[in-house]
């Protein structure tokens, strides 16, 4: 499956969720799955730059859940391992975009968690793109 | 002969040691008063003032331990879950004791600003009794500062790194240690007698050490209500060692030691949540990545660290827990990731080199964390939640034509006879 189609398929599944915090949690969940899978696949060399992504996104998931976000995980379509870097960066872009969207119905805690999610996702994306592998 | 102060040489005294020191000096003052008269009127006046300062310091200690906001709430009598009814005899005795502690200082001006403010010690000859009371006051003030490092000054709440034995203890159990010091200085005798002997007028003695002083009764009532102090609180020391934040290498070293100390504390309790263990595993994964990509000369260390943390991460990955993460460890790990990311030291290659050297040098500390995490993960009671699958979890097995067969003949009894040896020279053994 093409990466663009893959992203559109996930986007269609996530866009049904009403709150921005729910959508941000879903994108973060996907980013975490990809990063964790990349880390666990890279067993011996430890050269995967996903180590900069997985912790920050895991903490983002915790923060959003602590802020009261309750939503189901998304079923993730299969992705070619060769496409993992591009897929992860695109998912992080969607996370930054979604978490940065203002939501009038969000609580103060959810707004803070979304702002923190943007900060962490930006740092994770930068480190993932620039870290030596 | 009074022995030397047994704990004065301790580099980082605990709360219990400081209060023991205060009690030791208060006992010394009491023994001096019982054994010999004071040399002059000035010595007597200094002794009276120093005793009042000690009692005021104990009242300030009680304020710090309980918290100003909590104490004000107790005095205003609101009844909530965290502020019990003030008519409770325990609370009433506690408040009466705190009020009685400050009464002597209200009768005369304090000398605290002359003796301890800004570490400027009084060089005048105040006499041994006043010196002993002053040393006890200093120890109590140090203990007050120690407790204050564990409490948020604005809200009075315990800080995240405060040990549970302090954060979860009732305030009454905390002030019992102070009451043990107060009991040694509460009695007006033999101080009143020695003051009269030294030449103070009777009216002066009656003013500062009145017969109607109720501090002894208040102290005993409070101690009888609250019982014995909490043993775990005596081991508390300053909240945390300072972290050098100027240099990334030094900050990394300090923080990884803090993580190690925190993991040791979890090891002592025998439990750490999955989220906490995952945070430590993330730190190990980042270190192995840095060693793999930036320190080719440390390949042996890298392969060992990678193998260790990979196995722990794989074990922890499917585990889920409702227990929150240790905020102290998470804060350290988050900051260490910020320090280690390439963008942080992009402009300073020298700082990057020092940081990489610090990361390599602190790998033994990380190895200890790995060993603790491995043990705690093995004893974890958290849940393993398998991922949902669209297919059946187990493959269905066709059983047609594969019915189990049971032999119709019974098996031969044990022990079974062995065959006779072929040659006649060997001795035949019936059973084996």
């Amino acid at each position: 499956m093409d990466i663009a189609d893959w992203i559109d398929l996930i986007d269609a599944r996530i866009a049904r969720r009403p709150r921005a915090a729910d959508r941000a949690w879903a994108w973060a969940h996907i980013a975490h799955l990809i990063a964790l899978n990349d880390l666990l696949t890279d067993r011996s060399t430890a050269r995967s730059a996903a180590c900069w992504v997985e912790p920050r996104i895991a903490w983002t998931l915790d923060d959003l859940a602590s802020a009261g976000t309750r939503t189901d995980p998304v079923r993730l379509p299969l992705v070619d391992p060769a496409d993992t870097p591009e897929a992860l960066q695109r998912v992080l872009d969607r996370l930054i975009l979604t978490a940065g969207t203002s939501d009038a119905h969000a609580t103060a805690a959810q707004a803070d968690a979304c702002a923190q999610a943007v900060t962490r996702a930006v740092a994770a994306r930068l480190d993932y793109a620039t870290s030596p592998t | 002969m009074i022995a030397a102060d047994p704990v004065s040489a301790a580099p980082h005294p605990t709360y219990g040691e400081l209060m023991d020191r205060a009690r030791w000096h208060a006992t010394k003052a009491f023994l001096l008063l019982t054994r010999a008269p004071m040399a002059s009127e000035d010595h007597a006046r200094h002794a009276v003032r120093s005793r009042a300062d000690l009692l005021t310091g104990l009242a300030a200690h009680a304020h710090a331990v309980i918290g100003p906001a909590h104490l004000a709430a107790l005095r205003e009598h609101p009844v909530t879950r965290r502020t019990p009814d003030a008519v409770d005899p325990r609370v009433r005795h506690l408040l009466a004791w705190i009020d009685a502690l400050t009464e002597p200082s209200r009768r005369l001006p304090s000398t605290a600003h002359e003796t301890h403010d800004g570490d400027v010690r009084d060089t005048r000859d105040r006499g041994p009794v006043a010196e002993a009371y002053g040393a006890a006051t200093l120890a109590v003030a140090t203990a007050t500062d120690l407790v204050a490092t564990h409490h948020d000054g604005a809200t009075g709440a315990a800080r995240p790194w405060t040990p549970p034995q302090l954060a979860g203890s009732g305030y009454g159990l905390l002030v019992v240690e102070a009451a043990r010091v107060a009991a040694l200085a509460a009695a007006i005798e033999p101080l009143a007698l020695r003051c009269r002997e030294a030449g103070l007028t009777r009216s002066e003695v009656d003013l500062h050490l009145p017969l109607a002083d109720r501090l002894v009764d208040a102290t005993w009532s409070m101690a009888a209500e609250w019982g014995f102090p909490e043993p775990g609180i005596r081991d508390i020391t300053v909240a945390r060692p300072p972290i050098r934040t100027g240099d990334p290498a030094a900050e990394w070293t300090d923080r990884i030691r803090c993580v190690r100390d925190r993991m040791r504390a979890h090891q002592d309790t025998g439990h750490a949540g999955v989220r906490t263990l995952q945070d430590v595993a993330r730190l190990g994964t980042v270190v192995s990545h840095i060693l793999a990509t930036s320190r080719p000369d440390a390949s042996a260390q890298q392969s060992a660290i990678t193998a260790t943390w990979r196995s722990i991460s794989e074990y922890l990955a499917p585990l889920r827990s409702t227990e929150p993460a240790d905020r102290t460890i998470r804060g350290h790990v988050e900051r260490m990731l910020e320090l280690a990311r390439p963008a942080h030291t992009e402009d300073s290659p020298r700082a990057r080199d020092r940081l990489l050297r610090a990361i390599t040098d602190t790998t033994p500390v990380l190895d200890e964390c790995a060993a603790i995490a491995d043990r705690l993960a093995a004893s974890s009671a958290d849940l393993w939640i398998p991922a949902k699958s669209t297919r059946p979890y187990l493959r269905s097995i066709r059983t047609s034509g594969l019915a189990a067969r049971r032999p119709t003949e019974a098996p031969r009894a044990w022990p079974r006879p062995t065959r006779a040896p072929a040659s006649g020279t060997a001795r035949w053994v019936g059973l084996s």
Side-chain angles (χ1 to χ4, degrees), chain A residues 36 39-40 42-49 51-52 54-56 58-59 62 75 120 123 126-127 131-133, chain B residues 275 279 282 285-286 288-290 292-294 302 306 310 313-314 317 325 330 333-334 337-338 340-343 390:
Chain A
L36 185 62
L39 278 178
L40 295 182
D42 175 31
R43 284 175 175 273
S44 57
T45 62
R47 302 187 82 88
S48 169
C51 66
W52 302 108
E54 192 272 338
R56 291 184 173 111
W59 298 331
D62 277 356
R75 280 178 54 200
R120 282 182 169 142
L126 176 67
D127 290 344
S131 174
T133 56
Chain B
R275 293 169 197 259
D279 284 342
R282 285 167 186 140
T285 306
V286 166
S288 63
H289 173 75
I290 290 171
T293 54
S294 305
Q302 180 264 322
T306 301
R310 276 304 139 86
S313 300
E314 285 178 359
R330 177 162 291 188
V333 172
E334 191 165 4
L337 250 67
E338 284 296 316
R341 61 187 293 218
T390 54

Side-chain angles (χ1 to χ4, degrees), chain B residues 160-331:
Chain B
W161 52 80
T162 298
Q165 60 263 38
L166 178 60
S169 293
Y171 51 84
L173 295 175
L174 300 176
V175 295
V176 172
E177 278 286 345
R180 294 175 73 190
V181 181
L184 295 167
I188 59 172
E189 298 294 349
L191 180 59
L193 174 66
R194 295 302 185 194
C195 287
R196 192 78 178 94
E197 282 180 349
L200 295 190
T201 63
R202 181 169 180 174
S203 59
E204 199 174 2
V205 172
D206 283 344
L207 173 66
H208 299 314
L209 302 166
L211 284 172
D213 190 83
R214 57 190 176 90
L215 180 58
V216 174
D217 293 339
T219 303
W220 279 104
S221 300
M222 206 279 288
E225 290 292 343
W226 287 101
F228 293 95
E230 187 80 16
I233 293 167
R234 293 180 54 82
D235 299 330
I236 289 172
T237 184
V238 178
R240 57 174 180 177
I243 292 174
R244 296 166 286 172
T245 54
D247 180 21
E251 187 175 349
W252 176 279
T253 306
D254 292 341
R255 286 188 185 276
I256 199 166
R257 284 178 181 153
C258 288
V259 171
R260 188 261 318 268
D261 293 344
R262 195 75 180 171
M263 289 297 288
R264 283 178 177 172
H266 283 300
Q267 186 184 25
D268 291 341
T269 62
H271 173 73
V274 163
R275 293 169 197 259
T276 301
L277 298 178
Q278 284 172 338
D279 284 342
V280 181
R282 285 167 186 140
L283 181 63
T285 306
V286 166
V287 168
S288 63
H289 173 75
I290 290 171
L291 293 179
T293 54
S294 305
R295 294 299 298 264
D297 53 322
S299 59
Q301 285 172 294
Q302 180 264 322
S303 58
I305 289 173
T306 301
T308 303
W309 288 108
R310 276 304 139 86
S311 64
I312 296 175
S313 300
E314 285 178 359
Y315 177 77
L316 294 173
L319 293 182
R320 298 290 180 270
S321 173
T322 55
E323 185 179 344
D326 185 325
R327 286 179 293 168
T328 306
I329 288 182
R330 177 162 291 188

Side-chain angles (χ1 to χ4, degrees), chain A residues 85-110:
Chain A
E86 188 181 352
L88 184 54
Q89 294 189 50
R90 287 201 181 201
V91 169
L92 288 174
D93 288 339
R94 292 300 179 107
L95 171 59
I96 294 166
L97 188 67
T98 309
T101 306
S102 62
D103 183 359
H105 300 288
T107 63
Q110 286 174 343

Side-chain angles (χ1 to χ4, degrees), chain B residues 32-40 43 128-129 190 193-195 197-198:
Chain B
L32 287 170
L33 286 169
T34 56
R35 288 173 185 172
M38 285 186 279
S40 65
H43 283 191
V129 177
L193 174 66
R194 295 302 185 194
C195 287
E197 282 180 349

